[in-house]
Amino acid sequence: MRNRPLAVDALLAAALTSVAVLLGPEAARQGQNPLDTTAYALVVLVHLPLVVRSRAPVVVCSLMHATWLVYVTAGYWAVVCSFGPMLAVYTVASLRALRVSVPCAALMGGVWIYAGAVSHTDSWPSVVGQAVVYPAVLWRFGVVARRSAELTRQLRREQAERARREVAEERGRIARELHDVVAHHMSVISVQTGLARFVFDTDRQTARTALDTIDATGREALEELRRMLMVLRAAHDGAPAGPMPSLARLEETAERIRVGGVPVSLTVEGTPRPLAPGVELCAYRVVQEALTNVLKHAPGASAEVWLTYEPHQVTVSVTDDGEGVILDRVRSDGGHGLLGMRERAKLYGGQISIGPQEQGGFAVRLTLPTSARTAGRGDDATT
């Protein structure tokens, strides 16, 4: 009906015209003037404008009432042609504002009273009641339909806006994921490339080890990017996706940073246990980003990684002693990595603190709830 309103309106016009024509012979049995050819022609003219009622409801309503007025003035029974004007009043109320629809409803009531006067009726209370109730009921139904349509449009706009926000959030999440993958692995590759170039002629074994690290890091980066792209594909090609990085790979990540020239110690407290995949990935990415920042901004520092399993939460912290920090790099950093850490913590209801230590160096500490009860608290304490 929404796709072909003209065809629907034409069918309505034909249906109401047919009802009026079939009702015509009832006029004589009601003591009214019988309908002749002129009357039936007026019946058709009254209902014909309904074909375009959705496009010009006010014009259609006015034209139909004018023709209906001519029909009534000719002395014919008003009820025969009343269904079309009723639909016209409803249409105006459902498509136009109150200041337009109220006069149209009043117009119908006026024509109805005029019809009673022309027919010299003796039941004025009935005529007046019909002149008030019929237009009022039709107007009310039309107003309810208009408000329902407005509410539907508003809901659709809100749904579209919510969909746009979800798309934007997903793009942001993907961007952070890509940043974590590219920044970490490319930092390691860059450092190892510089090391290999520096010792290529003097220490072939060290250069070979650096090249092996570059090869392994590049392969891992490609594998992670491949998994992410598989998620973004429109059609599933049936290829199995490998597991996302987890806390079990922290030692492997620390080893890559050690090879890059930054001493890293990893300490695990508590009893390791399986966690939700999102929580594991969040904790892993925060540690990865923090170690990458140490490698980029403080290549002469040493770092410590602590992983603590507690009954209802897991905590990871990365600290460095601040040796060899490159202040220019810290000042010029765009901050996407730190923003990504905070967004990840907020997503999983965790708390994160990022900043310099009093004794020197930098510290990142993340606490993530591992139960639905604590995860619902949100991240109101990120610093």
Side-chain angles (χ1 to χ4, degrees), residues 46-218:
V46 168
H47 293 88
L48 186 60
L50 286 175
V51 175
V52 292
R53 71 182 183 97
S54 300
R55 297 186 177 183
V58 178
V59 174
V60 168
C61 184
S62 302
L63 184 59
M64 291 184 69
H65 279 81
T67 311
W68 187 28
L69 193 61
V70 173
Y71 170 90
V72 171
T73 304
Y76 300 113
W77 190 31
V79 175
V80 174
C81 286
S82 61
F83 300 106
M86 287 182 180
L87 180 59
V89 170
Y90 167 83
T91 303
V92 173
S94 65
L95 297 178
R96 294 295 182 263
L98 299 182
R99 65 179 183 273
V100 177
S101 60
V102 170
C104 290
L107 176 61
M108 178 182 173
V111 174
W112 199 273
I113 292 177
Y114 174 76
V118 170
S119 63
H120 305 288
T121 182
D122 294 330
S123 56
W124 275 107
S126 176
V127 171
V128 173
Q130 293 172 1
V132 173
V133 173
Y134 290 168
V137 171
L138 293 167
W139 175 83
R140 180 58 181 171
F141 283 164
V143 170
V144 171
R146 180 171 63 86
R147 291 176 178 173
S148 299
E150 291 175 351
L151 180 60
T152 300
R153 289 192 293 268
Q154 180 181 352
L155 290 175
R156 288 177 179 173
R157 288 194 298 268
E158 292 177 354
Q159 290 175 351
E161 181 62 27
R162 184 164 56 250
R164 285 192 293 269
R165 288 198 303 268
E166 291 175 354
V167 169
E169 291 173 359
E170 183 66 12
R171 287 177 177 174
R173 186 191 68 79
I174 294 172
R176 291 193 299 271
E177 199 74 22
L178 285 172
H179 171 272
D180 291 342
V181 172
V182 174
H184 172 74
H185 292 88
M186 292 302 102
S187 295
V188 173
I189 290 174
S190 176
V191 171
Q192 293 300 314
T193 301
L195 175 63
R197 183 184 296 110
F198 181 75
V199 301
F200 188 79
D201 295 325
T202 58
D203 191 344
R204 293 297 181 90
Q205 183 59 38
T206 301
R208 183 181 297 276
T209 301
L211 292 175
D212 290 340
T213 303
I214 292 172
D215 178 67
T217 303

Side-chain angles (χ1 to χ4, degrees), residues 287-306:
V287 174
Q288 183 186 58
E289 178 64 27
L291 290 177
T292 301
N293 286 339
V294 175
L295 183 64
K296 290 166 56 179
H297 305 308
S302 59
E304 294 183 354
V305 179
W306 290 80

